[in-house]
């Protein structure tokens, strides 16, 4: 619980205990009216002072008719007509409802502060040939920096000397590392995997790719308006109406009938107390709270009632690819040996050829080979930057790499058009074949898309930084409606903006992602859904809904829970308003007294709470 939530809870507990003590004391002892007033007034101020303060502050700012004003008027009216316990009950009920609402909605996002870890604060600058550690803000464009293996690249730069492998997952969300040689541009936030490199800085820290991502998160978070709570909207119209009705009830009848004002003023104050919307104040947030609890039972964290309501209206869902629809684990998925070469021979030569490399692609080939590498069979390994590996296998010169390597060695090869990363293998001038390394679709991903269509989601879209061919292959396998490939984080935000602008009123768009690079899109979408098990902390904090076990099949279940929640909340609202209208009418004509009104209000609250608990069933 937050500090504010704990304060409200403490006020409620202290207020409830003091109220019980006050009731016992006034029941056992015969006290003068002023003594009872002082006792219950002191009890009232514990939970009620903050409400009085808000009402006065809002009135000073021109916002008169809100729920704080109504609670203040109702409780003061109760004191005025001698119903001191009722005044305390009214404010205690209100504070309980406030606490539930704050617990459900009050989780603040720390996306921006988490993203500060995307880039280091310091860089190793080479000045006069010596490495010097300085703050990134102090590094000038054109200066040379040194980045060792395992370190994050602090600034946007170009490789000046050396070659290495770069993990770009923080920016593109794609797990497949890329090679970087002299002259190649590298982005801040990426991780240097293999060799130490000297870089020349191309952009200042304020304009780096990592800084732009953080700005996107800030802008996206500020542009998303929160759903205004029902009670506040309702109170804008309800409160002025009941206050005006109470004034009319106090003044007009005695003037027309020539009766004493005292009886009608008492009736008007009773009318005001009856009008206190305690049942609504409690049942509406509790209904949503029950829905949030039902979602948590299946391992889905919904960060507030407004997001649960938005999920019920979701018509478009946008997915990141790697780690969301696919496993993010690269495997040898296809072998295409040349004529006269067996698959076993192709895989063996490729595994031996990659045995000295620590590249993830090499790891996937060695894993597929599944046997212990005989180091005595290989020698003279040379890594050719941006091409692949040249190595002696059983005394025969062997080449394992991309198309550029085959062309460089004048090996006639058969181009492979399969989706994924293609590794070609050749010995001397003979082409042995190709291996396809690709990410595999997550188990249950196709079922998840099918379920979403069944619950009424109209459009399923995939955005990815991966190649067009690979992306289309995954989209076809999962039967997605749209796919957009080769995107950077800013491009993903642009695509989401286009989809948002195409939506009709009452339709919502959700984005599902798992990486730091997804944080700007998660905050811009109507509903951001993050992976809790494998996802980054920044993505989880930026999201509105978190799948704690990364099972996207549960999104459809969450849609069903949210719709059931909305139905129950609407039932509570209609029931509470109907009973309130009847009791108000009875109070206006003098049939209902104070305690009958209290009983009706509390009874409606209990029934509404019991109805809200139905959300928790059957999930």
């Amino acid at each position: 619980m937050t500090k504010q939530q704990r304060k409200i809870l403490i006020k409620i507990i202290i207020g409830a205990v003091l109220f019980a003590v006050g009731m016992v004391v006034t029941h056992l002892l015969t006290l003068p009216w002023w003594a009872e007033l002082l006792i219950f007034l002191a009890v009232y101020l514990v939970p009620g002072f903050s409400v009085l303060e808000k009402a006065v502050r809002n009135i000073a700012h021109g916002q008169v008719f809100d729920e704080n004003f109504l609670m203040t008027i109702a409780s003061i009216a109760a004191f005025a007509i001698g119903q001191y316990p009722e005044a305390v009950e009214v404010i205690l009920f209100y504070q309980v409802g406030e606490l539930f609402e704050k617990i459900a909605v009050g989780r603040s996002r720390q996306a921006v502060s988490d993203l500060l870890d995307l880039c280091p604060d310091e860089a190793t600058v080479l000045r006069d040939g010596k490495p010097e550690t300085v703050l990134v803000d102090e590094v000038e464009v054109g200066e040379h920096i040194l980045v060792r293996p395992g370190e994050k690249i602090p600034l946007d730069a170009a490789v000046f000397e050396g070659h290495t492998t770069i993990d770009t997952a923080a920016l593109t969300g794609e797990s497949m590392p890329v090679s970087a040689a002299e002259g190649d541009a590298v982005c801040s936030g990426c991780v240097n995997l293999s060799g130490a490199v000297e870089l020349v800085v191309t952009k200042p820290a304020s304009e780096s790719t990592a800084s732009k991502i953080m700005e996107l998160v800030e802008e996206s978070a500020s542009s998303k308006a929160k759903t205004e709570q029902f009670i506040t909207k309702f109170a804008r119209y309800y409160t002025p109406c009941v206050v005006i009705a109470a004034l009319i009830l106090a003044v007009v009848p005695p003037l027309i009938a020539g009766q004493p004002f005292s009886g009608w003023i008492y009736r008007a104050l009773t009318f005001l107390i009856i009008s206190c919307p305690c049942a609504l104040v409690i049942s509406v947030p509790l209904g949503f709270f029950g829905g949030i609890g039902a979602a948590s039972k299946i391992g889905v964290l919904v960060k507030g009632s407004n997001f649960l309501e938005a999920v019920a209206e979701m018509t478009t869902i946008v997915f990141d690819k790697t780690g969301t629809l696919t496993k993010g684990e690269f495997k040898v998925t296809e072998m295409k040996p040349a004529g006269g070469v067996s698959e076993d021979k192709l895989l063996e030569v490729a595994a031996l050829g990659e045995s000295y490399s620590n590249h993830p692609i090499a790891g996937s080939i060695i894993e597929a080979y599944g046997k212990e590498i005989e180091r005595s069979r290989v020698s003279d390994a040379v890594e050719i930057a941006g091409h692949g590996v040249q190595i002696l296998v059983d005394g025969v010169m062997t080449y394992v790499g991309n198309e550029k390597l085959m062309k460089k060695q004048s090996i006639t090869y058969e181009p492979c058009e399969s989706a994924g990363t293609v590794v070609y293998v050749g010995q001397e001038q003979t082409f042995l074949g190709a291996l396809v390394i690709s990410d595999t679709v997550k188990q249950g991903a196709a079922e998840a898309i099918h379920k979403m269509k069944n619950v009424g989601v109209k459009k399923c879209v995939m955005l990815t930084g991966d190649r067009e061919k690979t992306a289309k292959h995954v989209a076809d396998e999962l039967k997605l409606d749209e796919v957009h490939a080769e995107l950077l984080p800013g491009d993903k935000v642009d695509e989401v903006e286009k989809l948002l602008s195409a939506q009709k009123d009452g339709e919502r768009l959700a984005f599902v992602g798992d990486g730091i690079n997804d944080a700007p899109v998660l905050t811009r979408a109507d509903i951001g859904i993050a992976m809790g098990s494998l996802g980054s902390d920044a993505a989880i904090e930026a999201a509105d809904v978190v799948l704690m076990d990364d099972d996207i099949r549960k999104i459809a279940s969450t849609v069903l829970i949210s719709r059931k929640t909305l139905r129950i909340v609407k039932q509570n609202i209609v029931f509470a308003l109907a009973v309130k209208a009847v009791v108000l009418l009875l109070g206006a004509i003098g049939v209902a007294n104070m305690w009958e009104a209290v009983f009706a209000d509390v009874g409606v609250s209990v029934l509404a709470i019991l109805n809200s608990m139905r959300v928790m069933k059957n999930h």
Side-chain angles (χ1 to χ4, degrees), residues 188-227:
S188 55
C190 296
V191 179
N192 180 20
L193 293 178
S194 49
V197 284
E198 184 178 334
L199 309 176
V200 57
V201 177
T202 55
K203 290 180 183 177
S206 59
E207 296 177 15
S208 69
T209 303
S211 295
K212 287 178 181 177
I213 290 180
M214 286 186 273
E215 286 172 13
L216 277 172
V217 173
E218 289 174 347
E219 290 170 7
S220 299
S222 63
S223 67
K224 180 186 280 188
K226 291 186 177 180
T227 305

Side-chain angles (χ1 to χ4, degrees), residues 226-467:
K226 291 186 177 180
T227 305
E228 199 168 10
Q229 298 303 313
F230 168 77
I231 291 297
T232 304
K233 290 181 180 179
F234 177 73
R236 286 180 183 173
Y237 305 99
Y238 177 79
T239 308
C241 290
V242 295
V243 171
I244 292 167
L247 286 171
I248 292 171
L249 190 62
V251 177
V252 175
L255 285 177
I256 294 174
Q259 295 175 352
F261 278 90
S262 57
W264 286 99
I265 290 173
Y266 177 86
R267 194 177 293 186
L269 291 175
T270 305
F271 180 88
L272 264 182
I273 293 168
I274 294 169
S275 70
C276 179
C278 291
L280 287 175
V281 167
I282 294 174
S283 67
V284 172
L286 270 186
F288 282 111
F289 197 69
I292 291 169
S296 68
K297 274 190 172 183
I298 64 169
V300 179
L301 170 63
V302 183
K303 293 187 177 180
S305 56
N306 49 341
F307 303 126
L308 194 70
E309 185 176 11
V311 169
E313 299 168 350
M314 182 177 71
T315 54
T316 302
I317 186 161
V318 182
F319 295 93
D320 176 48
K321 182 179 78 69
T322 305
T324 303
L325 294 174
T326 62
K327 293 179 180 178
E329 300 171 358
F330 291 87
K331 306 282 185 184
V332 174
T333 54
E334 199 175 343
M335 286 186 277
K336 293 196 169 185
V341 180
S342 68
E343 288 188 353
D344 290 342
K345 174 68 174 176
L346 173 65
L347 186 57
E348 181 184 37
V349 173
L352 289 168
E354 294 280 24
S355 59
Y356 281 96
S357 176
N358 59 1
H359 195 286
I361 289 178
S364 64
I365 293 172
I366 293 167
E367 184 184 353
Y369 179 55
K371 299 176 185 176
E372 188 175 345
I373 299 293
E374 298 177 45
R375 296 286 181 182
S376 60
R377 297 176 62 187
V378 293
S379 62
D380 299 337
V382 178
E383 186 172 343
I384 304 171
H387 291 70
V389 177
Q390 171 185 305
I391 188 170
L392 282 174
V393 176
D394 296 328
V396 180
M397 186 57 69
T398 302
Y399 305 96
V400 183
N402 55 23
E403 287 181 281
K404 293 179 185 176
L405 183 60
M406 297 296 104
K407 290 176 181 176
K408 182 180 175 71
Q409 301 303 325
S410 302
I411 297 174
T412 304
Y413 67 99
E414 298 170 15
C416 178
E417 300 298 326
S418 298
T421 300
V422 181
V423 176
Y424 295 94
V425 182
Q427 284 191 316
E428 299 292 354
Q429 299 303 305
T430 305
F431 178 61
L432 299 186
L435 301 174
V436 180
I437 290 90
S438 58
D439 197 359
T440 52
V441 171
K442 269 187 178 180
Q443 183 179 1
E447 182 187 349
I449 302 298
H450 179 69
K451 282 185 173 181
M452 284 173 219
K453 294 286 187 179
N454 285 344
V455 298
V457 175
K458 297 176 183 176
K459 188 183 290 186
C460 295
V461 183
M462 184 175 75
L463 305 180
T464 178
D466 211 342
R467 294 189 308 143

Side-chain angles (χ1 to χ4, degrees), residues 515-594:
I516 289 176
N517 64 292
D518 295 324
V521 205
L522 285 165
T523 51
R524 183 62 195 99
D526 295 319
I527 312 131
I529 303 175
M531 302 294 180
S533 176
L534 298 175
S536 71
D537 290 341
I540 291 168
E541 291 295 340
D544 310 313
V545 178
V546 181
L547 305 176
M548 300 310 292
D549 59 359
D550 298 347
D551 188 350
I552 59 174
R553 288 173 292 189
K554 291 180 179 177
I555 297 174
S557 300
T558 307
V559 172
L560 294 175
I561 288 171
S562 64
R563 288 175 183 168
K564 183 177 180 181
T565 300
L566 279 184
R567 283 198 305 272
I568 287 175
V569 166
K570 287 173 183 176
Q571 289 168 8
N572 287 342
I573 291 169
V574 172
F575 176 67
L577 289 179
V579 173
K580 187 68 67 178
V582 172
V583 179
L584 279 173
L585 179 61
L586 294 175
I589 61 178
V591 174
N593 60 33
M594 188 69 61

